[in-house]
């Protein structure tokens, strides 16, 4: 069964727009949102603790660690301060992502090949602490091979290039890249997640990609929640995901 991890960063973004420094009284609350996602059937909750703390705060992660019953996936950059924090909080899984300070959202995959030396120690420390590891990379064979050498149990394939190509002549080529990437990762013993830019209209186009374990979806679910409520938004996505069978 294809699992859904809901990224609730955007709930915190809305809270920070009015309650920066007063998060204790601020709404909407990403922790309450996460619990409703779980109630609606989501199999995991994802948050990105950015170095600049622009949305999710340390206190959110502590509260999520305490309350999330499914699986807490923490996205982070490979930087010492966040690694220290993560080793204390112990999410179930960490997804290492590239972080550029002026980006609005994560732009592109991690350079696991170029950063292999830096990543090796981090992956090892996290695994030793009992935290699973995923690397957010594009479907490039060199990056996938680097992830396998790093002994990361999971990769998360960056789907934004495909999503942007949907409806253009490049759609099939981008889809084939994801398919080839997922096959290679599977052959190398990696578990395969995918995410970024997935919405209700494009999610089923990804179903030709084999070996997918989990999709991480944020913006589209939180946006739909504005009109349907978050539980219904999650249920609608889960319904679409039922037909994945590869
Ligand atoms: N996966 C990763 C690694 C991400 O950084 C993000 C964005 O925070 C997502 C998935 C979710 O992307 P979206 O909000 O476009 O669904």
């Amino acid at each position: 069964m294809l699992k859904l991890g809901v990224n609730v960063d955007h709930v915190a973004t809305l809270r920070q727009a009015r309650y920066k420094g007063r998060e204790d009284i601020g709404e909407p609350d990403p922790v309450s949102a996460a619990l409703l996602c779980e109630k609606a059937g989501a199999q995991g909750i994802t948050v990105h603790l950015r170095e600049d703390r622009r949305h999710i705060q340390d206190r959110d992660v502590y509260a999520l660690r305490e309350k999330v019953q499914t699986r807490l996936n923490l996205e982070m950059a490979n930087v010492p301060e966040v690694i220290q924090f993560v080793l204390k909080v112990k999410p179930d899984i960490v997804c290492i992502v590239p972080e550029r300070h002026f980006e609005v959202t994560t732009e592109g995959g991690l350079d696991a090949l170029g950063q292999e030396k830096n990543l090796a120690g981090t992956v090892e420390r996290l695994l030793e602490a009992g935290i699973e590891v995923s690397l957010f990379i594009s479907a490039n064979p060199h990056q996938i091979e680097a992830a396998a050498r790093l002994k990361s149990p999971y990769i998360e394939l960056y789907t934004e290039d495909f999503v942007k190509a949907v409806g253009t002549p490049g759609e099939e080529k981008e889809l084939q890249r994801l398919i080839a990437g997922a096959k290679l990762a599977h052959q190398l013993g990696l578990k395969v997640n995918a995410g970024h830019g997935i919405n209700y209209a494009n999610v089923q186009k990804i179903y030709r990609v084999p070996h997918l374990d989990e999709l991480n979806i944020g913006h589209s679910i939180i946006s739909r929640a504005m009109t349907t409520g978050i539980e219904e938004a999650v249920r609608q996505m889960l319904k679409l995901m039922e037909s994945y069978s590869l």
Side-chain angles (χ1 to χ4, degrees):
M1 187 187 63
L2 181 59
K3 292 179 240 153
L4 171 64
V6 182
N7 180 319
V8 295
D9 292 351
H10 294 292
V11 179
T13 299
L14 194 54
R15 178 192 62 194
Q16 296 311 101
R18 283 293 179 277
Y19 290 96
K20 198 163 188 281
R22 296 181 298 151
E23 288 84 6
D24 54 329
I25 55 157
E27 59 181 8
D29 173 29
V31 181
S32 310
L35 300 183
L36 289 172
C37 293
E38 285 191 317
K39 195 167 156 228
Q43 290 91 353
I45 299 299
T46 297
V47 286
H48 184 171
L49 186 71
R50 295 188 76 103
E51 269 188 278
D52 63 10
R53 305 298 198 269
R54 69 171 75 154
H55 41 54
I56 291 294
Q57 306 296 305
D58 296 22
R59 67 191 308 279
D60 299 322
V61 183
Y62 283 119
L64 287 164
R65 175 63 299 178
E66 205 180 298
K67 294 183 177 156
V68 163
Q69 301 284 317
T70 53
R71 203 161 126 94
L72 180 61
N73 171 25
L74 195 136
E75 297 172 0
M76 61 159 217
N78 184 25
V79 292
E81 179 256 329
V82 185
I83 296 166
Q84 284 308 328
F85 176 80
V86 158
L87 288 169
K88 242 187 326 181
V89 183
K90 296 207 174 169
D92 299 291
I93 178 164
V94 156
C95 181
I96 304 178
V97 301
E99 217 173 89
R100 296 168 189 98
H101 290 187
F102 297 105
E103 67 191 1
V104 175
T105 179
T106 315
E107 287 170 1
L110 189 70
D111 183 8
L113 180 64
Q115 302 280 312
E116 202 167 328
K117 269 206 186 114
N118 287 343
L119 287 165
T122 305
V123 173
E124 202 180 315
R125 281 175 80 192
L126 292 167
L127 290 174
E128 269 172 13
I131 302 168
E132 292 210 79
V133 179
S134 179
L135 302 179
F136 186 49
I137 55 177
S138 66
N140 170 316
H142 302 298
Q143 298 296 344
I144 294 165
E145 283 158 9
R149 282 195 298 276
L150 284 161
K151 300 196 169 52
S152 174
Y154 286 84
I155 57 165
E156 179 172 328
L157 289 174
Y158 176 69
T159 48
E160 186 73 37
D161 290 338
F162 168 69
V163 159
K164 280 199 192 127
V166 168
T168 75
E171 175 175 341
E172 184 60 26
K173 189 170 144 233
E174 287 299 334
L175 186 61
Q176 289 302 329
R177 280 185 63 204
L178 288 175
I179 292 171
K183 283 185 181 162
L184 174 63
H186 182 72
Q187 269 168 24
L188 294 172
L190 293 158
K191 287 186 226 155
V192 186
N193 297 335
H196 217 279
I198 299 174
N199 62 29
Y200 297 85
N202 63 31
V203 64
Q204 292 188 320
K205 290 182 180 279
I206 290 171
Y207 294 175
R208 280 171 57 206
V209 180
H211 312 303
L212 292 177
D213 193 62
E214 183 174 88
L215 298 181
N216 277 305
I217 307 180
H219 187 270
S220 62
I221 292 179
I222 303 306
S223 302
R224 183 157 294 197
M226 296 286 168
T227 47
T228 64
I230 199 161
E231 287 180 76
E232 178 58 19
V234 169
R235 280 194 291 268
Q236 287 180 13
M237 187 58 82
L238 284 169
K239 185 85 196 141
L240 291 172
M241 287 170 59
E242 271 173 11
S243 52
Y244 180 78
S245 59
L246 293 179

